[in-house]
Amino acid sequence: MIASFLRRGALVLLASPIVPPSGPSQAAPKSAEAFIPVRFTDIRQSAGITFVQDSTQTDEKYYLETMGTGVAFLDYDQDGLIDLYFVQSAATEAYKPAHPLRSALYRNNGDGTFTDVTEKAGVGGEGHYGQGVAVGDFDNDGYPDLYVTGYGRAILYHNNGNGTFTDVTAKAGVADEGQWSTSAGWFDYDKDGYLDLVVTNYLDWSPKNNLWCGEKKPGYRSYCNPNNYKGQKTRLFHNNHDGTFTDVSLKSSVGVPESKGMGVVLADFNGDGWPDMAIANDTWPNFLFENNHDGTFTDVSLISGLAASEDGRYEAGMGIDAADVDGDGLLDVYITHLDFELNRLYHNNGDATFTDFTYSSGIGNKAMLLSGVAAKFIDYDNDGWPDIVQANGAMVDNVALYHSLVSYKEPLLMFHNTGGGHFEKSSDALGADFTRPVAARGLATADFFNDGTMGIAVNCRGESPELLRNDGAAANHWIEILLIGTQSNRDGIGATLKLKAGDITRIDQAKGGTSYMSSSDPRIHFGLGKRTKVDSLTITWPSGRVDHLADLHADSIIAVKEGQGVVPHAFPKVARK
């Protein structure tokens, strides 16, 4: 009974210098030399992560319960080690937990363990029904700040630089009061050197209009389809450079159309040097807003080909990310959907349009019985091609009563890029921890060992999260870049990086948003395969400045400061136990 199911959406998109359109390359599948075995190991327990997400579920089947919550990787104390933040729910009219619920910040101790520093940091958000988290240094002071979305309101935590945060929501004017905010992202849409904020909002749902869906017999009540509720609208907040923001949603045009936003990615999709905005909507046309360079955006969703599937359907998009999957210099888009729909890969044609390459890329219907929630591009084996990791889990806990082929808890999914944008499902080779069924929601990726191996964190609905260590990728070479803007925003969001190493050229961007209600490692990661050095790295900053670097050593993390090149920065390697 599909109509009883909940739909979510997310889309991500990226572009770089324009080249002639093409599909997945027929050239160069991965060589046997570059292939290495990788397994993922869940180290949550040994790492000291005791957080448990509370689903707040009751027989009332509040729509809010299904969403789950996000997760973020960030270096909040700037010690070069990647820390973790898990978003939590809160009490509802129908659910009163025995103890107050709070989000949790964990400090990376540098020895494979983490310490809960939530109370000291002041980012627990008790009483706030959290949803997602976006990380960005909005005041350019060198310390990342947290924007936590949620039902009814959002919270902006300013990083004080001493291990503590201050709730500055009211002063900043970004509470998004009365809305149901899901994902958010930071980007500098007017290129004035300060990060602005995009917030996606979902549905006009409340306990008072919580409908009964599903069959009216014991155990069969279900969560409703989003088409039963009116959508909300996107918010865009302009940074005023003084700790406050101005709501420019209507002025910019992005807040005009009704939306059912679930995910957002912020990047230059058409190669004009200005960041655009892509929003994945739930059972609603996905949005692509093109930056007009004057503070306004043009809605090109339908003509771009991203609004719907190849057969014209508006699907339940949730997770979103973008990467150049085929090496043509253009960033392609991946969007997850629920069971009995397809996860879509959209190829960037280089002319401001996209083509649905889901089948021709090899992804096809290989995950049709899984409900895709979050997704990230990740080069998990460091061979130089971006792979896709996807978190799955049905929205409806009693889904098996309606579909015998579908389970509530589902395994993670990995699509391995075999070269040139062709993918094969590789999940079963990645270990039992990777394929253990969970009710996954938010997903983020990071090199939290500082050794070039990209790990994964998953926030799971109603249970402990997963913290998956990557075992094996270090057999191939890699490089990571931390951007430090000066004229541009401090995080360098919006920068384009072009890397050449031997016979390969790779392009990526520092993006805002991505995944589903989550934030990943801000450092840009490139796998290099067997190549031992980077011949050149060109960084085009949002300010327009271009920095050229050459002869960089592989297997290193470097900090690059705008206009200065590589600068000293500690990135302590974490010992593996």
Side-chain angles (χ1 to χ4, degrees), residues 506-519:
R506 295 290 180 262
I507 289 177
D508 203 353
Q509 291 184 30
K511 303 176 287 284
T514 78
S515 189
Y516 169 77
M517 303 199 302
S518 300
S519 295

Side-chain angles (χ1 to χ4, degrees), residues 196-207:
D196 310 300
L197 178 66
V198 177
V199 182
T200 63
N201 291 305
Y202 192 40
L203 301 177
D204 279 333
W205 173 91
S206 75

